[in-house]
Amino acid sequence: MDASLRPPGAGWNLLARNYDARMLRGGTLADGKVVAPERAAELLEAVIEPQDRICIEGNNQKHADFLAKALASVSPARVHDLHVVQSNIALAAHLDIFESGIARRLDFCYAGPQGLRLAQLVADGKVQVGAIHTYLELYSRYFTDLTPRVSLIAAEAADRDGNLYTGPNTEDTPAIVEATAFKSGVLIAQVNRIVDKLPRVDVPGDWVSFVVEAPTPHYIEPIFTRDPAAITDIQVLMAMMVVRGIYEKYGVSRLNHGIGFDTAAVELILPTYAEELGLRGKICRYMSVNPCPTLIPAIESGFVETIHCAGSELGMERYVAERSDVFFTGRDGSMRSNRIFCQLAGHYADLFIGSTLQVDLEGNSSTATLARITGFGGAPNFGSESRGRRHGSPAWLQAGREAHRGGMPRGRKLVVQMVETFREGLSSTFVEKLDAWELMDTFNMPLPPVMVYGDDLTHIVTEEGIANLLLCDTLAERAQAIRGVAGYTAVGRARDRHMVEKLRERGAILYPEDIGVDKRLASRDLLAARSIKDLVRWSDGLYAPPARFRNW
Amino acid sequence: MDASLRPPGAGWNLLARNYDARMLRGGTLADGKVVAPERAAELLEAVIEPQDRICIEGNNQKHADFLAKALASVSPARVHDLHVVQSNIALAAHLDIFESGIARRLDFCYAGPQGLRLAQLVADGKVQVGAIHTYLELYSRYFTDLTPRVSLIAAEAADRDGNLYTGPNTEDTPAIVEATAFKSGVLIAQVNRIVDKLPRVDVPGDWVSFVVEAPTPHYIEPIFTRDPAAITDIQVLMAMMVVRGIYEKYGVSRLNHGIGFDTAAVELILPTYAEELGLRGKICRYMSVNPCPTLIPAIESGFVETIHCAGSELGMERYVAERSDVFFTGRDGSMRSNRIFCQLAGHYADLFIGSTLQVDLEGNSSTATLARITGFGGAPNFGSESRGRRHGSPAWLQAGREAHRGGMPRGRKLVVQMVETFREGLSSTFVEKLDAWELMDTFNMPLPPVMVYGDDLTHIVTEEGIANLLLCDTLAERAQAIRGVAGYTAVGRARDRHMVEKLRERGAILYPEDIGVDKRLASRDLLAARSIKDLVRWSDGLYAPPARFRNW
């Protein structure tokens, strides 16, 4: 409630009194806290008021899809002009409510496949976008100016007191729940089942207003599963360079991996290539990342010792439960994920490594593509220098010595982009100007949507070599270091050979032979697992890949 | 557990099996989950193993002091070489355990009054300091390489199932509890009382191993209470400059205040000076800060609309409960604090403003003083550029336009230091070289302990004027902008008058007359409350100041 809207003489605790009124209306539809699924839309009409800020939970691994559809079916005459504040726009229902006028304003993080339709709705004036956030930013605004009035969340199970069990996919729930429940907001949970006794309590019933048993389990998708069969020899070569030229050089032990095939290749050569180099116990010990199946061989080999996850991954449930030394799990055996802590662990880690679609000559990179509104989720947080960090580690201090020569000494986070010089369709990854500039104009954004800024980036790894941007003193040197690993792209061909050679002498450009990487060994043979079936074998049968990944 | 320590053939889930063994030993001393206070030391001897990582909860507003003392009384023959991983070293018992060899290694955030003794123990080789962290960093390491094996926490009350009620001082509890409970760690809570039915559940009983009813309520101190009677005319002048030259100029609506008298002065002129300027509803609407009593007049006047708190403040309980529109509270009325979310809200806000003891000519600042090991708690996180931020706001975009002239456009967080040119004892705030350099040598630290780095800082406000560092293009200009507001200190007297005049023309230096601040009005008369008694009056009698602040 904006204080400026407080009517004179209205007194205080208006939100709490308003909550009581909503609960009175909603309570007539409930048996205790439990509302029958066929009355879900009626419940939403009873407890949601026009112009409410509302959050429909949904992120990578679970979605309050039943409640989202119920909301899309309410009468726009009763519920309208809502302000949606949620991390993901992923389901058709998330946009249907804008089409019908139930919602009007939107603050979010990530749109994915709905990005095209979202762009159209913005152009049609049906959606007013406030801003596109990273996850932690949006959660932080839940506690300042974007606190939800009503939140629709998803959990695995509930008991009749409203206690919730989220199982392995806790994800965003703690942030949404805490902001809503402790600012007199209404919290409605859809659950797969209502039981007498929960395996564990993830959200205290005190905090929950209503529970609805959905007719079908909440939507979930295996989006972090990468089939090793699709990893190429070139990706293995790049992975070898990462291991020798970055992980070994700096002694990187705490890190966050992106979720592409490039980093999957790194994970899969830990038990082979890195093991031979004697790097076990020295690199890659603590990770914050989803439980990607390609991590299994590195876990089984004793490389990765601890993993904290933002969410879970379909098929990994039993494996995670049986590897509680590595993953965070409850006493019931299932994982406890939490996007806040995973994002924090990644932000303050020694290194982030991911991929991108475009890189310019300052090193700015973006995955934003024309005609869609997407957003970056957590990547800008992982992939940015942690300026508030004060504790040292060998990797952070060594990177800091390279970055801050002269002046106040300090540490530096390693931020690495791992890209092939040409993408599919033979378009160049390296560009003079990012598409982000055009996107800014098209969608009337205040700034170009850059995922990782050039001055946050420390290394670019391509199949040609590694550019170490920390050792570049000027923007001109930085541009040449980037050209020097940009291969046969137009950007790469326009390199100044003399300057590139000087940068190489200084170590600002490293080619495979400079770091002892034998290109002849760069083949899929180095992968500890070459198929999903191999991963199952490594897991001792505990990993149960979803049907679409089984071809045996 | 380090995987490298995993004995061959030992299998998996070793931590969980070890947890069961500890619980079996501890269980013999318990009635269900409840352990009698006189058996607390015995319990700790039963469940703690040598070399365990251990966390004793304690921060600004509450301390597990009973359990800390119990730990100090265990036999060092049984419990020894512990690795302490906790935010605060505040109680004598926290260091007693190092003296006796119960503990050996330490990773922490902040030492405060124990800093002197800590320094001595380090010199004596009794404490091996790993690193000094900010809060979020340490929490993030709880989920990577510093997960506690046993945590001793404090809560207001428990029921017999182990459900905990933290009341208004939740503070660090969620971070500690989640990391410990979900990595098979032992969680022991000291509570002020065990009851049949809790006012609300803050921590589910599932997650808690043992509960001990302490003989005395946990230690708590009113550390955020500033008596308006001690605010000076000079502080009022600086506050006026902040309101006009920064808050009004940029339209700062989301922010974090430090806890000194300087920022208290800003809070207390909102209902007078800022109101007259028509700034209500335009500045200072959303804050992340503890419930400082000096905020009361600004809340009552409708200036500050929402406050999220890291912890509570003694005496503010009833006021907070009756202002649930502003504060985050549970349905029981008492506040819900949470340091994680408060730190995040502050980090991603538009502005941080605080004070410091020393500033050098690059703008690096530090509160670290010789002969003590202290740490900075949350200030480096609040006071650093949020490089992972991607959503716009008017203040952030305007600061970004000043900071990034040419090149990739982006936003910028405002980070302000508000200091008088001379501190008590007439030592200069402005120095050529920070004491932090000497501290680094004395304590063998890897880096000088800088609180806010110069390139994160955007403004310095003194009684002479405002230096806007965003508008300085070179380090030489930056140094002159700082000299230009450094008054009659040696640093200030050494200014280049010509350069300072040019910086002033450009707006990089602003004196009161440049921003319409009438120095003649700068007196305590502008304060909405001039005493603690005034604050009580503003609160309608709801604020109940601790005895030491009552002089009527």
Side-chain angles (χ1 to χ4, degrees), chain B residues 48-343:
Chain B
I48 301 178
E49 298 179 1
Q51 292 167 40
D52 272 350
R53 270 195 298 264
I54 187 165
C55 169
I56 308 169
E57 185 179 18
N59 210 311
N60 295 317
Q61 293 292 311
K62 71 172 175 186
H63 279 280
D65 54 343
F66 175 72
L67 292 176
K69 278 185 213 141
L71 180 61
S73 76
V74 302
S75 158
R78 296 193 56 174
V79 177
H80 51 84
D81 295 301
L82 301 182
H83 181 180
V84 175
V85 292
Q86 68 193 35
S87 61
N88 254 16
I89 297 295
L91 310 176
H94 291 160
L95 290 178
D96 292 345
I97 59 175
F98 287 93
E99 199 110 47
S100 62
I102 293 171
R104 181 174 306 271
R105 294 167 64 196
L106 173 63
D107 279 277
F108 73 114
C109 298
Y110 190 73
Q114 296 291 339
L116 204 62
R117 185 175 166 213
L118 173 59
Q120 191 54 52
L121 285 168
V122 169
D124 295 347
K126 291 279 194 182
V127 181
Q128 294 167 6
V129 174
I132 308 181
H133 306 71
T134 62
Y135 294 133
L136 289 182
E137 285 172 59
L138 185 66
Y139 306 154
S140 81
R141 292 187 75 183
Y142 285 171
F143 295 89
T144 51
D145 59 336
L146 292 184
T147 311
R149 198 78 196 98
V150 178
S151 289
L152 315 179
I153 65 170
E156 189 75 25
D159 66 20
R160 301 211 139 248
D161 294 328
N163 292 297
L164 303 182
Y165 172 59
T166 56
N169 293 302
T170 304
E171 292 198 280
D172 298 19
T173 310
I176 300 167
V177 162
E178 181 149 344
T180 310
F182 291 102
K183 204 70 191 280
S184 304
V186 178
L187 202 69
I188 306 175
Q190 87 170 58
V191 298
N192 297 346
R193 56 189 194 284
I194 294 176
V195 297
D196 288 332
K197 170 92 185 123
L198 294 172
R200 73 171 191 244
V201 175
D202 287 296
V203 178
D206 274 11
W207 307 5
V208 178
S209 310
F210 297 105
V211 169
V212 181
E213 193 177 53
T216 50
H218 59 67
Y219 176 72
I220 191 165
E221 215 190 336
I223 63 173
F224 300 116
T225 299
R226 300 286 166 267
D227 187 340
I231 294 174
T232 64
D233 291 346
I234 284 183
Q235 285 165 330
V236 173
L237 172 63
M238 287 162 59
M240 292 165 74
M241 286 194 268
V242 166
V243 167
R244 292 228 74 170
I246 301 176
Y247 290 5
E248 181 181 10
K249 175 186 167 184
Y250 295 95
V252 173
S253 72
R254 274 186 290 147
L255 71 165
N256 169 263
H257 268 196
I259 50 155
F261 286 98
D262 305 292
T263 44
V266 177
E267 292 155 14
L268 289 170
I269 67 167
L270 292 176
T272 56
Y273 186 65
E275 175 72 35
E276 250 174 65
L277 291 167
L279 296 176
R280 180 156 42 93
K282 294 181 181 154
I283 63 167
C284 273
R285 298 175 63 188
Y286 312 101
M287 297 186 69
S288 42
V289 64
N290 281 64
C292 305
T294 43
L295 284 164
I296 293 171
I299 294 168
E300 296 298 312
S301 310
F303 253 90
V304 179
E305 300 167 32
T306 290
I307 300 175
H308 186 270
C309 302
S312 189
E313 181 67 1
L314 262 186
M316 287 288 280
E317 296 80 2
R318 270 184 67 215
Y319 180 72
V320 167
E322 292 301 320
R323 294 296 177 270
S324 62
D325 295 333
V326 174
F327 294 95
F328 285 74
T329 61
R331 239 80 82 191
D332 65 310
S334 80
M335 192 166 74
R336 167 77 175 191
S337 60
N338 189 330
R339 195 174 311 280
I340 304 157
F341 289 118
C342 188
Q343 286 281 334

Side-chain angles (χ1 to χ4, degrees), chain A residues 6 13-15 137 178 182 200-201 206-207 324-325 329 331 336 338 387 390-391 450-451 456, chain B residues 6 13-15 137 178 182 200-201 206-207 324-325 329 336 338 387 390-391 450-451 456:
Chain A
R6 184 181 304 285
N13 295 341
L14 300 186
L15 289 176
E137 285 171 60
E178 182 150 343
F182 291 101
R200 74 172 189 244
V201 175
D206 274 13
W207 307 6
S324 61
D325 295 333
T329 61
R331 239 81 83 191
R336 167 76 175 191
N338 188 330
R387 298 284 279 255
R390 292 296 180 272
H391 77 276
V450 171
M451 182 170 71
D456 281 323
Chain B
R6 183 182 306 284
N13 295 341
L14 300 185
L15 289 176
E137 285 172 59
E178 181 149 344
F182 291 102
R200 73 171 191 244
V201 175
D206 274 11
W207 307 5
S324 62
D325 295 333
T329 61
R336 167 77 175 191
N338 189 330
R387 297 283 280 254
R390 292 295 180 273
H391 76 276
V450 172
M451 182 170 71
D456 280 324

Side-chain angles (χ1 to χ4, degrees), chain B residues 216-548:
Chain B
T216 50
H218 59 67
Y219 176 72
I220 191 165
E221 215 190 336
I223 63 173
F224 300 116
T225 299
R226 300 286 166 267
D227 187 340
I231 294 174
T232 64
D233 291 346
I234 284 183
Q235 285 165 330
V236 173
L237 172 63
M238 287 162 59
M240 292 165 74
M241 286 194 268
V242 166
V243 167
R244 292 228 74 170
I246 301 176
Y247 290 5
E248 181 181 10
K249 175 186 167 184
Y250 295 95
V252 173
S253 72
R254 274 186 290 147
L255 71 165
N256 169 263
H257 268 196
I259 50 155
F261 286 98
D262 305 292
T263 44
V266 177
E267 292 155 14
L268 289 170
I269 67 167
L270 292 176
T272 56
Y273 186 65
E275 175 72 35
E276 250 174 65
L277 291 167
L279 296 176
R280 180 156 42 93
K282 294 181 181 154
I283 63 167
C284 273
R285 298 175 63 188
Y286 312 101
M287 297 186 69
S288 42
V289 64
N290 281 64
C292 305
T294 43
L295 284 164
I296 293 171
I299 294 168
E300 296 298 312
S301 310
F303 253 90
V304 179
E305 300 167 32
T306 290
I307 300 175
H308 186 270
C309 302
S312 189
E313 181 67 1
L314 262 186
M316 287 288 280
E317 296 80 2
R318 270 184 67 215
Y319 180 72
V320 167
E322 292 301 320
R323 294 296 177 270
S324 62
D325 295 333
V326 174
F327 294 95
F328 285 74
T329 61
R331 239 80 82 191
D332 65 310
S334 80
M335 192 166 74
R336 167 77 175 191
S337 60
N338 189 330
R339 195 174 311 280
I340 304 157
F341 289 118
C342 188
Q343 286 281 334
L344 284 176
H347 181 66
Y348 289 111
D350 292 331
L351 174 140
F352 162 77
I353 183 166
S355 294
T356 189
L357 295 181
Q358 286 191 331
V359 181
D360 72 13
L361 291 175
E362 291 186 9
N364 298 302
S365 60
S366 185
T367 53
T369 50
L370 301 174
R372 279 173 190 278
I373 295 182
T374 53
F376 302 118
N381 173 63
F382 290 138
S384 65
E385 166 67 327
S386 44
R387 297 283 280 254
R389 176 173 169 175
R390 292 295 180 273
H391 76 276
S393 70
W396 187 75
L397 291 168
Q398 188 182 335
R401 283 189 295 272
E402 292 184 356
H404 305 283
R405 289 159 284 154
M408 181 62 74
R410 53 210 275 200
R412 184 68 160 84
K413 181 177 183 176
L414 295 162
V415 177
V416 183
Q417 292 283 19
M418 200 174 169
V419 292
E420 291 182 54
T421 53
F422 286 100
R423 291 184 283 137
E424 288 165 41
L426 289 188
S427 60
S428 169
T429 301
F430 294 94
V431 296
E432 303 275 342
K433 194 167 190 182
L434 296 178
D435 286 352
W437 287 90
E438 199 179 330
L439 264 164
M440 170 176 74
D441 294 335
T442 309
F443 294 117
N444 201 20
M445 294 168 161
L447 302 173
V450 172
M451 182 170 71
V452 174
Y453 285 107
D455 53 4
D456 280 324
L457 192 66
T458 64
H459 294 78
I460 298 173
V461 181
T462 71
E463 73 276 15
E464 189 178 10
I466 300 176
N468 179 349
L469 305 179
L470 295 175
L471 298 178
C472 299
D473 289 325
T474 61
L475 281 177
E477 284 187 0
R478 171 179 283 255
Q480 287 302 328
I482 292 171
R483 289 187 195 277
V485 297
Y488 296 102
T489 62
V491 163
R493 292 196 311 268
R495 71 185 66 178
D496 174 332
R497 300 211 163 266
H498 176 68
M499 218 166 143
V500 163
E501 206 38 59
K502 289 192 77 166
L503 287 168
R504 188 178 171 192
E505 278 163 29
R506 190 200 292 176
I509 294 177
L510 298 164
Y511 294 133
E513 54 271 34
D514 302 332
I515 49 174
V517 167
D518 186 346
K519 287 164 86 164
R520 291 166 306 179
L521 296 178
S523 87
R524 286 179 40 79
D525 292 345
L526 270 190
L527 298 174
R530 276 158 232 147
S531 65
I532 292 280
K533 198 167 183 178
D534 281 354
L535 293 175
V536 175
R537 214 175 286 128
W538 269 102
S539 79
D540 222 354
L542 294 168
Y543 170 46
R548 77 166 92 156

Side-chain angles (χ1 to χ4, degrees), chain A residues 313-445:
Chain A
E313 180 67 1
L314 261 187
M316 287 288 280
E317 296 80 3
R318 271 185 66 214
Y319 180 74
V320 166
E322 292 302 320
R323 294 296 177 270
S324 61
D325 295 333
V326 175
F327 294 95
F328 285 75
T329 61
R331 239 81 83 191
D332 64 309
S334 79
M335 191 166 73
R336 167 76 175 191
S337 59
N338 188 330
R339 194 173 311 280
I340 303 156
F341 288 119
C342 188
Q343 286 282 332
L344 284 176
H347 182 66
Y348 289 111
D350 292 331
L351 175 141
F352 162 76
I353 183 165
S355 295
T356 189
L357 296 182
Q358 287 191 330
V359 181
D360 72 14
L361 291 175
E362 292 187 9
N364 299 301
S365 60
S366 184
T367 53
T369 50
L370 301 175
R372 279 174 191 277
I373 295 182
T374 53
F376 302 118
N381 172 64
F382 289 137
S384 64
E385 166 67 326
S386 45
R387 298 284 279 255
R389 176 172 168 174
R390 292 296 180 272
H391 77 276
S393 70
W396 187 76
L397 291 168
Q398 187 180 335
R401 282 189 294 273
E402 292 184 355
H404 304 284
R405 289 159 283 155
M408 180 62 73
R410 53 209 277 197
R412 184 68 158 87
K413 180 176 185 177
L414 295 162
V415 177
V416 184
Q417 291 284 17
M418 199 176 172
V419 291
E420 292 182 54
T421 54
F422 286 100
R423 292 184 282 136
E424 289 164 43
L426 290 189
S427 58
S428 169
T429 301
F430 294 94
V431 296
E432 303 275 343
K433 194 167 188 181
L434 297 178
D435 286 353
W437 287 90
E438 198 179 331
L439 265 165
M440 170 176 74
D441 294 336
T442 308
F443 294 118
N444 202 19
M445 294 168 159

Side-chain angles (χ1 to χ4, degrees), chain A residues 6 119 123 141 179 249 326 432 469 481 513-515 532 535:
Chain A
R6 184 181 304 285
R141 293 187 75 183
K249 174 184 168 185
V326 175
E432 303 275 343
L469 305 179
E513 54 271 34
D514 302 333
I515 49 174
I532 292 281
L535 293 174

